[in-house]
Amino acid sequence: MPEVRLENVTKKYGKIIAVKNVNLHVHDKEYFSLIGPSGCGKTTLLRLIAGLVQPDEGKIFIENKLVTHIPPEDRGIGFVFQTYALFPHMNAWDNVTYGPRVKAWEEEKRERIGREMLEMVKLYERADAVPKELSGGMMQRVALARALAADAKLLLLDEPLGALDAKIRFDLRYELRKLVKDLGLTAVHVTHDQGEAMAISDRIAVMKKGRILQVDTPQELYMKPQHVFVANFIGESNFLEGYIVETNDKGCVIELRGGVIVNVVNQTRNKGERVVLAVRPETLSIEKGHKKGLNCITGHIERFRFEGTDVRYEVRLKNEDVVVIVRPALMGEWFNEGEKVTACFPTDKSYLFTYPSLGLRSELALE
Ligand SMILES: Nc1ncnc2c1ncn2[C@@H]1O[C@H](COP(=O)(O)OP(=O)(O)O)[C@@H](O)[C@H]1O
Ligand SMILES: [Mg+2]
C-alpha cells in the first residue's frame, strides 16, 4: 500500500537549501497537499518523492520500502505537471497507452486500460484528438489518465490545475479528488492556492523556506494554526501586537498599542509576555457609530471594497492599528468611507502567538 515517509530529508542546490530536514508521513489512500509560497521547496519535495532528484541527506520510503536510490520508473508513481507534458504528435489514445506500450503489456490489457482511463476522464470520444485540438482542461485530464494508465498507485501532482481558467480549475479539483478516492490511490498534490488545497485535501503540509511548519486537516489549519505564518497563509488574519497585562481562570487580557484592551478566553499565557493577537476578518463585527462594550474599539472606515460575495472594510482604530473586517454583502447594512464605526473583537475565536524573535514582518514574509 502506497504510504510515503520522509525522514530528515535535505536537498541543496549549491548554497540554496531547497528542502530542509523534512519529516513527513503521507498515509495510504490519503489526498495530501503541499502548500506554500513560490520557491518554498514544494516542487523539490515532490521530485524527491518521485526520484527525479536525489536527497543530500535523509531517507525516503514508499510502501515501507527504502527507495532513496531507486529510479523513478521503479517507484510505482504517476506524475502530472502543471504544463501539459503530453507528446504533441500523439493522439490522446497513444498518449494514454504510452506507459503500457513501454512496459510491453499484452494488447488486450493495453486496449482495456486505455479505454478505462479515457472513459474515466470522460474523453473516450476524443481518443483520436491530438493535444492541440483539446482544451487546457482536456489536456490535463489526458495527462492524468496517462499518469494512471501505467498502474500507478501513488499520484504526484505539481500544480496540475495551475494553468487552467478559474472555473475549470474549480470543477476539475473535485473530479480529481473523486478519482483518487474511487481508485483508492494516494495523492500528493502541490499547489500555492490555499482554496484549492483546502477543498481537495484530507491533510495539508504548509511549507516555508524549505521547512514544513504544520501538517493538519484543512479545518485544523484554519481553526488551530500553530504559527503566525500559517494563520496568515491559510485563510486571512489581522495581526496586532501587544502585551499580556492580566491572566485569569478564563483566559487573558491583552493591551494593544495605545492602551487598547482586548479580552480572550481559553488561552494560557504569562503576564508581561509580548504577543501577537491574530483575528480573522470574518470574526470581527462592525457597528454604526461609536459604542462602548467589551472588546469594542472605536474607529472609522478607512477603505471600503465590494468584492462580490463579501464587503471588505479597512477600519482604522482609535489607537491607529488597522483591522480588516469582512462581512457577507447581503447581510446587514454597508458603511461608507470616513464613517465612524466600532469594531468588536471576538473573545473566543482569536489566537495568541508569542511575539516572533525576528519580528512580525519577517515571520509573515512570503520569501
Ligand atoms: N534545479 C535547480 N537548480 C538550482 N536551484 C533550484 C533548482 N530547483 C529549485 N531550485 C531552488 O530551490 C528553491 C525551491 O524551489 P522549488 O522546489 O521549485 O519551489 P516551489 O515549487 O515551492 O516554488 C528555490 O529557491 C529554487 O530557486
Ligand atoms: Mg513549484
Side-chain angles (χ1 to χ4, degrees):
M1 292 290 110
E3 58 173 319
V4 181
R5 245 176 336 112
L6 276 71
E7 285 180 4
N8 301 315
V9 170
T10 294
K11 173 66 192 173
K12 297 176 195 153
Y13 292 110
K15 280 189 186 143
I16 297 171
I17 308 178
V19 167
K20 210 184 265 180
N21 197 26
V22 160
N23 289 285
L24 182 66
H25 186 178
V26 178
H27 305 306
D28 180 37
K29 298 192 177 60
E30 186 169 40
Y31 205 114
F32 193 93
S33 292
L34 299 171
I35 186 171
S38 181
C40 73
K42 305 179 293 296
T43 292
T44 304
L45 194 54
L46 202 68
R47 293 170 71 87
L48 284 161
I49 298 172
L52 297 169
V53 292
Q54 298 298 313
D56 294 300
E57 286 164 40
K59 293 177 182 164
I60 299 168
F61 299 86
I62 298 176
E63 296 187 45
N64 283 319
K65 197 170 111 192
L66 184 67
V67 297
T68 317
H69 301 293
I70 288 181
E73 58 272 23
D74 296 331
R75 294 191 184 195
I77 53 160
F79 207 109
V80 180
F81 301 89
Q82 174 173 0
T83 43
Y84 332 106
L86 298 174
F87 302 116
H89 54 288
M90 287 185 197
N91 64 22
W93 177 266
D94 289 340
N95 264 286
V96 170
T97 53
Y98 178 79
R101 279 202 307 283
V102 169
K103 294 197 170 178
W105 290 354
E106 287 168 19
E107 189 177 347
E108 184 277 327
K109 186 176 174 187
R110 287 201 319 254
E111 295 289 313
R112 181 171 50 80
I113 296 279
R115 182 174 182 132
E116 274 176 18
M117 291 300 146
L118 278 169
E119 279 178 346
M120 182 183 75
V121 297
K122 302 185 197 94
L123 284 173
Y124 185 62
E125 273 69 49
R126 304 300 307 275
D128 292 334
V130 290
K132 69 171 190 287
E133 296 167 337
L134 299 170
S135 70
M138 288 173 181
M139 282 195 274
Q140 231 20 5
R141 277 157 44 206
V142 173
L144 187 64
R146 188 182 63 176
L148 295 175
D151 218 12
K153 292 279 176 279
L154 174 59
L155 188 58
L156 304 176
L157 306 133
D158 192 357
E159 312 244 6
L161 311 176
L164 305 175
D165 291 334
K167 180 75 176 85
I168 293 167
R169 201 162 70 214
F170 207 77
D171 294 342
L172 211 50
R173 57 162 82 141
Y174 296 106
E175 272 181 48
L176 202 51
R177 180 180 164 91
K178 183 168 186 310
L179 212 104
V180 165
K181 291 295 167 183
D182 287 351
L183 296 174
L185 308 174
T186 304
V188 184
H189 178 125
V190 161
T191 178
H192 62 268
D193 179 340
Q194 54 136 326
E196 181 177 307
M198 300 283 271
I200 211 169
S201 317
D202 296 313
R203 286 191 308 153
I204 301 172
V206 181
M207 293 184 71
K208 187 192 176 191
K209 292 184 181 167
R211 291 182 188 275
I212 290 181
L213 294 183
Q214 187 173 350
V215 181
D216 259 321
T217 63
Q219 295 88 328
E220 282 168 327
L221 285 175
Y222 182 77
M223 309 289 253
K224 295 176 194 160
Q226 305 289 325
H227 296 262
V228 171
F229 184 82
V230 176
N232 194 42
F233 201 78
I234 301 288
E236 189 187 351
S237 296
N238 292 293
F239 296 100
L240 300 127
E241 300 176 24
Y243 289 88
I244 304 291
V245 288
E246 196 187 315
T247 61
N248 53 46
D249 53 352
K250 287 205 211 86
C252 41
V253 181
I254 307 140
E255 185 178 318
L256 305 178
R257 256 202 306 170
V260 163
I261 295 294
V262 173
N263 293 264
V264 297
V265 295
N266 301 328
Q267 303 265 1
T268 41
R269 291 284 150 175
N270 298 317
K271 198 170 167 177
E273 198 179 333
R274 190 174 184 199
V275 292
V276 175
L277 173 69
V279 192
R280 300 256 183 228
E282 60 275 25
T283 64
L284 283 146
S285 62
I286 185 165
E287 290 182 30
K288 203 178 180 66
H290 282 175
K291 302 249 166 73
K292 285 204 171 114
L294 185 73
N295 281 6
C296 289
I297 304 163
T298 57
H300 69 272
I301 305 284
E302 190 158 275
R303 212 151 179 242
F304 164 82
R305 288 285 175 273
F306 172 58
E307 294 191 325
T309 322
D310 298 317
V311 286
R312 183 183 180 86
Y313 300 103
E314 285 174 27
V315 177
R316 186 167 291 274
L317 305 175
K318 65 178 178 191
N319 70 349
E320 293 298 322
D321 278 342
V322 174
V323 288
V324 173
I325 303 182
V326 172
R327 300 271 97 200
L330 296 177
M331 311 264 280
E333 58 182 325
W334 293 7
F335 302 96
N336 301 314
E337 284 181 3
E339 198 172 336
K340 282 184 185 173
V341 291
T342 305
C344 296
F345 284 58
T347 53
D348 60 342
K349 291 187 186 71
S350 36
Y351 325 109
L352 283 177
F353 299 100
T354 302
Y355 190 84
S357 54
L358 296 174
L360 183 57
R361 195 176 292 214
S362 105
E363 198 70 18
L364 292 176
L366 295 181
E367 287 172 2

